Amino acid sequence: MDNKSIPSFFIIGAQKSATSSIHALLSQDNRISLPYRKETHFFSTNFSKSIDWYLSMFKSSKYLLRGEIDPSYIHYDNSLLNIKKYNLNPKFIFIFRKPIERAYSHYLMSINRNYESLSFNDALKIESDRLNNDNNNFSFSNHSYLLRGDYCQQINRCKNVFPNSEYLYIKFDDFIN
């Protein structure tokens, strides 16, 4: 496997912070190779699949840059270590949205998927209980409204795993405007 096949950059956060819009924009540039679909979850929940499976998800074999956009990579603890197995020094982009706005957008997504039946306030009140009693990661994935807004913890974890990587931080409001 050629190391150039592995993405050199990852847009890893935060969920509900315009990552789909950024994926759509970057997909229009034929110099950038992205997966066919945003969020392969290879380094988070699909790491048991082969690296060949992962690389087959990418659109182009001719490119200047290869990257992936997947907010799950900052949320799942093992993701960064899995990335490091293939790239010791990738570049990272974080997009930050006001945590309560991000949480509410996440809540609406869970409502639309029929994963949530509580009011927003009630869901926030019991988030810790849900996460502490989560045997199958369902709540970790779908009810982690406040947890996913803990940007300081996420950045620190990433910098601990990748102390020499380059980082770009973008505010959601700046991107949208």
Side-chain angles (χ1 to χ4, degrees):
M1 175 188 59
D2 180 1
N3 255 0
K4 287 185 152 190
S5 300
I6 300 299
S8 62
F9 74 91
F10 294 89
I11 300 176
I12 58 174
Q15 180 193 50
K16 308 312 293 174
S17 297
T19 55
S20 294
S21 298
I22 292 172
H23 186 270
L25 285 170
L26 293 179
S27 291
Q28 296 174 29
D29 189 330
N30 60 9
R31 297 172 298 172
I32 300 173
S33 175
L34 297 172
Y36 289 104
R37 64 184 169 115
K38 186 183 136 245
E39 301 182 25
T40 68
H41 301 303
F42 176 69
F43 292 104
S44 57
T45 59
N46 285 329
F47 199 65
S48 62
K49 296 185 178 181
S50 73
I51 190 68
D52 291 332
W53 173 87
Y54 176 63
L55 295 176
S56 75
M57 303 299 282
F58 286 85
K59 293 180 185 178
S60 174
S61 60
K62 294 183 180 184
Y63 53 86
L64 183 62
L65 292 172
R66 176 167 272 182
E68 187 180 7
I69 302 169
D70 195 325
S72 74
Y73 294 168
I74 197 58
H75 188 56
Y76 284 82
D77 286 336
N78 61 331
S79 300
L80 298 172
L81 295 174
N82 289 339
I83 290 171
K84 194 167 191 167
K85 291 174 184 174
Y86 290 98
N87 187 335
L88 297 176
N89 200 28
K91 293 175 173 52
F92 292 101
I93 299 173
F94 287 90
I95 304 157
F96 298 117
R97 186 174 185 179
K98 293 175 186 166
I100 198 66
E101 290 177 7
R102 195 224 62 79
Y104 189 67
S105 182
H106 182 180
Y107 166 80
L108 292 177
M109 179 177 72
S110 290
I111 288 280
N112 289 333
R113 292 178 172 174
N114 293 318
Y115 296 160
E116 183 62 79
S117 60
L118 300 175
S119 71
F120 183 56
N121 287 337
D122 288 342
L124 294 183
K125 285 178 189 174
I126 69 161
E127 179 177 328
S128 291
D129 289 338
R130 280 176 160 174
L131 296 175
N132 289 332
N133 297 304
D134 189 15
N135 295 328
N136 61 4
N137 277 345
F138 183 81
S139 286
F140 185 73
S141 294
N142 299 293
H143 301 136
S144 50
Y145 309 121
L146 296 174
L147 179 65
R148 287 185 188 240
D150 187 354
Y151 304 139
C152 184
Q153 183 265 347
Q154 295 167 2
I155 292 169
N156 286 338
R157 186 174 25 172
C158 194
K159 287 193 166 208
N160 284 335
V161 175
F162 294 102
N164 298 317
S165 284
E166 294 180 42
Y167 295 87
L168 174 65
Y169 306 100
I170 301 171
K171 291 193 294 187
F172 173 84
D173 291 338
D174 289 345
F175 175 75
I176 295 301
N177 293 328

